[in-house]
Amino acid sequence: MEAQEEKEAQVAAWLKKIFGDHPIPQYEVNPRTTEILHHLAERNRVRDRDVYLVIEDLKQKASEYESEAKHLQDLLMESVNFSPANLSGTGSRYLNALVDSAVALETKDTSLASFIPAVNDLTSDLFRTKSKNEEIKLELAKLEKNLTATLVLEKCLREDLKKAELHLSTERAKVDNRLQNMNFLKAKSEEFRCGIRAAEEQLSARGLDASLSHQSLVALSEKLAELKQQTIPLKKKLESYLDLMPNPSLAQVKIEEAKRELDIIEAELTKKVDMMEL
């Protein structure tokens, strides 16, 4: 609890320092917001400390540079009785350019022995940079080529996806239609089955012969088709007798036998057909 109160006090002091005379924005004071603001305050304190150290270091270096410049100026005055104030405007510009070059190249002094290695290093850096730029350009060209191919592929895939979605939508509509038809047919089939069952029950209640039921009629129809198939060889046999040069009496007997068999079969067929029609 004391640690929480201490954090809240540190946060309040930090906010007062940040906003100064301006009012501090309202915020909800709870452990989470306090923890976040305390973390920000700590980071701000560390940053301020680092900035302060950098400033002090720069001040110290500036003081050292000023001392070194004064020393060199005094040395120059003692040796050749020369002062920068005695330089012409052109000489002052050259001197400032020399100093700026030394600062840019980060040399320890303005001597030729310091400038040449610095310029060589700068030239080497320039060549390395150019080489790196060429490599980057080549890599960029490859990436652009790959990107173009990727975009083309993406476009093709999008078109294929649209076609697939359209085909899927069409097929789904067909399937839905078929399902509806199937459900309709199932319902109709069940309706017919119930109707047939009810009709059979009514006919059975009225004393109808069971042989005239739907199943019996289907069986009779199948047997009728079978009997028709059986008459085919008999008709062919009869035709073979008709094509012979017969013994009149024997042929007449055979013809009469075949006619009787055919009449019997046709009578049976007629009976079955009449029963089916009923």
Side-chain angles (χ1 to χ4, degrees):
M1 187 66 181
E2 294 180 357
Q4 182 67 23
E5 292 178 354
E6 183 179 357
K7 286 184 178 181
E8 291 178 359
Q10 292 177 358
V11 168
W14 174 68
L15 291 175
K16 185 176 181 181
K17 178 182 176 182
I18 292 296
F19 289 96
D21 297 334
H22 298 284
I24 299 174
Q26 296 294 327
Y27 66 94
E28 182 181 355
V29 180
N30 56 49
R32 176 173 173 77
T33 57
T34 301
E35 186 66 28
I36 293 173
L37 291 174
H38 184 265
H39 178 69
L40 292 175
E42 286 296 318
R43 293 189 61 180
N44 185 260
R45 184 181 63 80
V46 173
R47 187 192 64 180
D48 290 345
R49 183 191 62 190
D50 294 340
V51 170
Y52 174 77
L53 293 176
V54 171
I55 292 174
E56 291 299 321
D57 182 63
L58 292 176
K59 286 182 179 179
Q60 183 179 356
K61 288 183 178 180
S63 178
E64 292 175 356
Y65 290 153
E66 289 177 358
S67 299
E68 182 68 18
K70 188 176 184 306
H71 172 70
L72 294 175
Q73 187 176 358
D74 293 341
L75 182 62
L76 187 61
M77 286 292 294
E78 291 177 0
S79 59
V80 295
N81 193 21
F82 175 78
S83 173
N86 298 330
L87 289 174
S88 62
T90 304
S92 296
R93 286 196 300 272
Y94 287 160
L95 181 60
N96 290 332
L98 186 63
V99 173
D100 293 339
S101 299
V103 173
L105 294 173
E106 299 180 353
T107 59
K108 64 180 181 178
D109 52 40
T110 58
S111 64
L112 190 61
S114 297
F115 271 114
I116 291 176
V119 171
N120 289 336
D121 292 341
L122 188 62
T123 304
S124 299
D125 292 341
L126 178 61
F127 282 121
R128 282 195 296 270
T129 303
K130 287 183 177 180
S131 178
K132 188 66 176 178
N133 286 339
E134 292 297 327
E135 292 178 0
I136 292 174
K137 285 182 180 179
L138 292 175
E139 188 67 23
L140 183 60
K142 291 181 181 178
L143 291 175
E144 289 178 350
K145 184 177 180 180
N146 293 336
L147 178 61
T148 302
T150 303
L151 291 175
V152 172
L153 179 60
E154 182 184 6
K155 183 179 179 181
C156 294
L157 290 175
R158 288 182 182 276
E159 291 177 355
D160 292 341
L161 180 60
K162 288 181 180 179
K163 293 179 181 178
E165 290 177 349
L166 180 60
H167 178 71
L168 180 61
S169 177
T170 304
E171 291 298 322
R172 186 181 291 112
K174 291 180 180 179
V175 170
D176 292 340
N177 188 29
R178 290 172 182 173
L179 287 175
Q180 291 177 359
N181 292 338
M182 185 176 68
N183 293 333
F184 175 77
L185 292 176
K186 284 183 177 179
K188 282 295 181 182
S189 176
E190 185 64 24
E191 181 181 350
F192 290 150
R193 188 178 293 107
C194 293
I196 292 172
R197 189 180 300 112
E200 288 178 350
E201 290 176 356
Q202 291 178 0
L203 292 175
S204 177
R206 294 175 182 176
L208 182 67
D209 189 357
S211 62
L212 298 178
S213 65
H214 176 70
Q215 293 181 351
S216 299
L217 293 176
V218 171
L220 288 173
S221 176
E222 293 176 353
K223 188 162 184 186
L224 176 60
E226 183 181 353
L227 291 173
K228 285 182 178 181
Q229 291 294 327
Q230 292 177 1
T231 60
I232 293 174
L234 293 176
K235 287 182 178 181
K236 290 182 178 180
K237 184 177 180 182
L238 179 60
E239 290 174 356
S240 65
Y241 284 121
L242 294 176
D243 293 336
L244 294 174
M245 295 298 294
N247 183 341
S249 57
L250 182 59
Q252 187 65 34
V253 172
K254 293 293 183 180
I255 289 172
E256 291 300 328
E257 289 178 357
K259 283 184 178 182
R260 282 195 297 272
E261 291 180 6
L262 184 59
D263 290 339
I264 293 172
I265 292 173
E266 286 181 351
E268 187 175 356
L269 286 175
T270 302
K271 181 180 177 182
K272 296 295 183 182
V273 170
D274 292 339
M275 292 177 66
M276 290 177 67
E277 290 178 350
L278 292 175

